[in-house]
Amino acid sequence: MNKKSMRDPDFLNAIIENVGALVIVLDHEGRIYRFNAACEKLSGFTFAEVEGKFPWDIFLPAADADAIRTVAFVAHVNNPQTALNQYTNRWRTKSGDYRLIEWANTLLHDNQGKVTFMISVGTDITERKQIEEDLRHSEERTRLVLNATNDGIWDWNPITHEDYLSPRWKEIVGYQDDELPNIDSIFFELIHPDDKTSVVQAITRHFEHHSPYRVEMRLRHKNGSYRWVLSRGEAVRDADGKPVRMVGSITDITDLKQAEESLKVLNEQLETRVKQRTAEMTTARDEAERANRAKSIFLSRMSHELRTPMNAILGFSQLLEYESLPPHQLAYVQEIHRAGDYLLELINELLDLARIESGKMVAVSQPVNLAAAINAATEITQPLMNAKQIHLINQCPTGESVLADPTRLRQILVNLLSNAAKYNLNGGYINISCHDQNNGFLRLCVTDTGLGIPPEKQAYLFKPFERLGAEFTEVEGTGIGLALSKQLTELMGGQVGFNSTLGEGSTFWIELPLTAEAANTEKPIPQDKAIITGKPQQIVLYIEDNAANLRLVEAMLRQQSHLKLISATHGEFGLELARRYKPQVILLDIHLPGMDGYKVLEALKTDPITRDIPVIALSADAMPIDIDRGLQAGFIQYLTKPVKMDVLHETIARYL
């Protein structure tokens, strides 16, 4: 091919059109003279659309047009020696997008040296610049992340022993970047002697078994101290799986380790204190349990010791009332009986209060017909109301049932009605009313027309032994009833309150849970109080060591001609009499010399001759736990002293 052919216009046109680069030819005025296919494809404009136009008017942003025209064209034409032959600018496409183009310019001259054309060859570098920008941002993000995490980076080549340690890595151990060489021996020299083995083992397991590399170690600081670091890393392996590099980081955990150590010391101190406190609480609990046991024993003994003489006082006074005494002597006996009943009531209330305070009182709640409970309490307190000519008005409906312990509820109502009568005016009124509280509870109110309670004394109303000045009047009382009623009501899940107006009277109320379950309102069938005569004489054996109690029961049963009482003062003799006479009923005390009542009962139950004889406990041990124990042991009935004569007769008759 000759030189002339290479200058052939067709040949040059073919090159310009088919070259992959952007080629644009400007004439000596800067107008577009040629615009190749690559330019058309990139810009979206055809040659016909741009021919004869200035490129800066079409492809450049308005803000860049003058500057580019000056630098890209005018400078080259007027002073090509100093002009920039290469530059980069943005190119606007027909769709409005911008591409970043890198240009190289060449000038063509005529024979006189005048510029005739400028050929600009461009390369689209948009994607490359974007990649470079993304990379720069990625590197910046990496740098920011590393700075934010405050970690030191390391890159170790176990083959060449090269070891890159980042500036932060070195800073953690107190060195500047240029103070430590990048070789792995430096790293291993800084490891605490006690930690080197575990570090080497962790690296080996990671290389050989792909175990995660995560190890805590101590590195020697420049000042001679040691810093705790957490080192983590991952091996880079070749195609055969052989580790060729290992990259990782270290995190300074010295403060965390110190905090853990402080926490460990604190925990040890806390455990010591907890053990000490637990020991103290155990001791206190044991002391409290011993105190409760002692209190229970004391209550049991007090109950027994108080009831034993009361048995004689009340029992013989009952017997005397059946004698043909002159009126004045009968009045004396009745006064003794009344005082004994009052003293027994006081003893019972004191023991109940003590049982509640020691946690020994148990209330068994069940559906109770309120009307029946009110009637039972009214029967007990009616004599007191009659003595003062007090009118009772009961406005409670008959169908209401509450959850309560029947015995305790009757005890509370008796207390409230007794107080309403005692502190009322002669000829006054007592009103009983019931109100549904719309919260599952029913409020029972007892209102009197007495003098009311002074406001300054109302705060002491439910405190034990507080009578608010009534102790200086003729009204009998102990100050226990309201305190006991409050605690019994709360024991059953209810509450107590009052309202009082001085000079007008007082209202005391209790609230108890309502229940839709029907309560049994049937009254028990009364037992006959007399034994049918005409039967052969029947034997009752009484085993009791107290002579007064023996004489009392003997006197009580003397009126029953069909009964014959035989007695024994200790258990062994009682067993002999039981086998010899085979009595129809045995009355047995608990506290006996030698064999106590439980051993005697066991012997009776194991002997074929006596095992079917009904055995009734007659004891001054009147605590609920004593009664439960007796019934579980096999007593067919458990009577407590002091025993009423009619109760004793009825009980014996039931088992003859």
Side-chain angles (χ1 to χ4, degrees), residues 480-649:
I480 299 175
L482 282 178
L484 182 60
S485 296
K486 181 177 186 296
Q487 297 198 47
L488 286 174
T489 304
E490 292 173 351
L491 191 65
M492 294 186 294
Q495 55 182 335
V496 175
F498 74 98
N499 299 296
S500 184
T501 303
L502 198 61
E504 296 183 8
S506 303
T507 297
F508 285 84
W509 53 264
I510 61 172
E511 287 184 2
L512 291 169
L514 277 165
T515 177
E517 186 176 348
N520 184 8
T521 59
E522 295 182 4
K523 293 185 178 180
I525 299 173
Q527 299 290 330
D528 293 336
K529 294 188 178 182
I531 304 298
I532 299 174
T533 58
K535 290 184 179 181
Q537 198 170 43
Q538 296 173 300
I539 297 174
V540 176
L541 170 62
Y542 186 23
I543 306 174
E544 168 68 76
D545 65 320
N546 185 289
N549 289 334
L550 278 172
R551 290 195 299 271
L552 173 63
V553 172
E554 183 180 33
M556 285 182 171
L557 298 185
R558 191 179 298 140
Q559 298 178 3
Q560 307 293 328
S561 59
H562 66 290
L563 296 180
K564 178 181 180 181
L565 181 71
I566 59 176
S567 61
T569 57
H570 56 84
E572 291 83 354
F573 185 45
L575 290 172
E576 182 180 339
L577 291 179
R579 285 190 288 267
R580 183 188 307 171
Y581 292 99
K582 300 179 183 177
Q584 277 66 48
V585 175
I586 297 175
L587 302 177
L588 179 57
D589 186 33
I590 299 298
H591 293 279
L592 296 170
M595 295 178 70
D596 66 13
Y598 288 107
K599 291 181 179 177
V600 173
L601 177 65
E602 183 181 0
L604 289 169
K605 293 299 180 183
T606 55
D607 191 327
I609 298 175
T610 60
R611 65 187 176 192
D612 295 326
I613 300 174
V615 183
I616 301 170
L618 184 56
S619 174
D621 291 342
M623 303 288 281
I625 190 173
D626 299 320
I627 297 173
D628 290 342
R629 181 189 175 193
L631 295 176
Q632 291 177 6
F635 286 108
I636 198 167
Q637 192 77 18
Y638 195 106
L639 301 180
T640 59
K641 301 173 184 177
V643 63
K644 293 184 180 293
M645 186 165 62
D646 57 348
V647 173
L648 180 63
H649 290 168

Side-chain angles (χ1 to χ4, degrees), residues 74-133:
V74 175
H76 282 79
V77 171
N78 296 332
N79 193 8
Q81 290 78 16
T82 60
L84 294 175
N85 291 324
Q86 292 184 341
Y87 58 91
T88 301
N89 72 304
R90 292 184 299 162
W91 237 40
R92 182 175 57 210
T93 67
K94 190 174 184 179
S95 63
D97 295 333
Y98 284 91
R99 306 295 294 180
L100 193 62
I101 310 298
E102 187 177 70
W103 297 99
N105 297 325
T106 302
L107 297 177
L108 297 180
H109 301 82
D110 59 15
N111 295 332
Q112 286 77 32
K114 184 179 178 181
V115 174
T116 55
F117 297 101
M118 184 175 78
I119 302 175
S120 296
V121 179
T123 303
D124 186 357
I125 62 171
T126 305
E127 281 74 17
R128 190 188 76 190
K129 283 294 184 181
Q130 186 62 49
I131 292 171
E132 290 176 356
E133 186 67 15

